[in-house]
Amino acid sequence: MNTRMYLPIILSVLVFLPISSFATVPILTTDQKNQYQQMVLTEVNQYRKSKGLNPLKLNSAITYQAKQHSNDMAAHKMPVGHQDFDKRVAHIQNHVTEFGGGAENVAIYKSSPHHVVEEWLKSPGHKSNIEGHYNLTGIGVAQDEKGWIYYTQIFIEDRQAAV
């Protein structure tokens, strides 16, 4: 029998609309989206290290869910936000040994991952997720036809991996 304990889930969304955001942005290639994903991970882990926190490990199952969410928002299949986060977590729980909770940051921006993480750190909810007791993450980056870049970062605690 598979019994799961449901723990609090924290969600934060941030939409950035600086004047420079309305500038033309080139369409990102798949390689560039992957580079943006890695840049978010690097920025977040550098920040966590500066606070004495362990780095987050990128997990392919979590990344799949984050990418799918970013793709759905970029395709305007769902609004920017956390709709269906519970479904994403349900899929992730099948790949996590001992699920201990999760959180999600979402952003839409026309700028680099550095600026997205910088803005997340200015927001108490986003910052709390970044500083959370998580050890796994997944990051999705997608772009719509107007150049807006959709970022999703999911944070998960796997209690077994933390031991």
Side-chain angles (χ1 to χ4, degrees):
M1 179 176 178
N2 187 359
T3 308
R4 302 238 186 235
M5 180 190 318
Y6 291 93
L7 300 170
I9 296 181
I10 303 165
L11 308 171
S12 291
V13 65
L14 197 52
V15 178
F16 305 104
L17 299 172
I19 293 173
S20 64
S21 293
F22 297 101
T24 302
V25 174
I27 299 301
L28 299 173
T29 66
T30 300
D31 285 344
Q32 289 169 318
K33 289 176 193 172
N34 290 336
Q35 289 171 354
Y36 274 34
Q37 172 198 51
Q38 189 59 48
M39 291 166 70
V40 170
L41 180 64
T42 298
E43 293 273 339
V44 166
N45 278 338
Q46 284 175 348
Y47 175 79
R48 287 177 61 89
K49 183 178 179 181
S50 77
K51 298 297 179 188
L53 301 168
N54 291 328
L56 299 171
K57 181 180 175 191
L58 197 62
N59 175 283
S60 61
I62 302 168
T63 294
Y64 177 82
Q65 293 298 319
K67 283 183 178 182
Q68 198 59 40
H69 185 54
S70 289
N71 287 335
D72 287 346
M73 291 186 297
H76 309 290
K77 292 180 181 177
M78 71 172 40
V80 175
H82 305 288
Q83 183 176 323
D84 294 338
F85 180 66
D86 57 335
K87 292 177 184 175
R88 288 188 288 286
V89 167
H91 289 290
I92 291 166
Q93 284 179 316
N94 293 326
H95 301 278
V96 174
T97 307
E98 194 175 331
F99 182 79
E104 179 176 77
N105 284 353
V106 174
I108 176 176
Y109 210 4
K110 282 191 178 181
S111 190
S112 72
H114 171 77
H115 290 107
V116 170
V117 174
E118 194 173 72
E119 292 299 320
W120 277 342
L121 291 172
K122 292 178 186 176
S123 162
H126 294 92
K127 183 177 178 183
S128 176
N129 291 345
I130 290 170
E131 293 177 349
H133 59 281
Y134 309 109
N135 50 8
L136 300 176
T137 193
I139 301 162
V141 177
Q143 191 175 33
D144 70 12
E145 69 284 351
K146 294 181 181 178
W148 288 98
I149 304 169
Y150 295 76
Y151 295 87
T152 302
Q153 183 170 18
I154 300 174
F155 305 87
I156 298 293
E157 178 189 16
D158 182 346
R159 291 184 179 146
Q160 180 141 347
V163 176

